[in-house]
Amino acid sequence: PGGLGGLGGLLAGGAAGGALSGGLNDLLKQFQDNGHGDVAKSWVGTGPNQQISPSALSQVLSPDQINMISQMTGM
């Protein structure tokens, strides 16, 4: 199903912009720079959200970013 949930909803809602330094554009750039730009774009688009493995996510985000997102989403 389409729509946003979890991390996608958090990013699209802008909550991550203030909590993660640099905002949404910088966060998307992190994913693009690490070969996962299409996945991140799916989270803020209108189509189905693509999945990313925990190991790939840890290559893109810093431990501090992962902790912040985990706290904000409850995941």
Side-chain angles (χ1 to χ4, degrees), residues 8-9 11 15 18 25-27 30 35 37 41 44 49-50 52 55 57 62 65-66 68 72-73:
L11 295 178
N25 286 333
D26 287 350
L27 189 60
Q30 279 182 250
K41 286 180 184 178
V44 295
N49 293 331
Q50 294 182 27
I52 189 169
S55 61
L57 190 60
S62 72
Q65 288 173 311
I66 292 172
M68 179 70 64
M72 294 175 78
T73 63

Side-chain angles (χ1 to χ4, degrees), residues 43-67:
W43 300 336
V44 295
T46 57
N49 293 331
Q50 294 182 27
Q51 294 188 7
I52 189 169
S53 71
S55 61
L57 190 60
S58 68
Q59 292 173 353
V60 175
L61 300 176
S62 72
D64 288 340
Q65 288 173 311
I66 292 172
N67 287 336

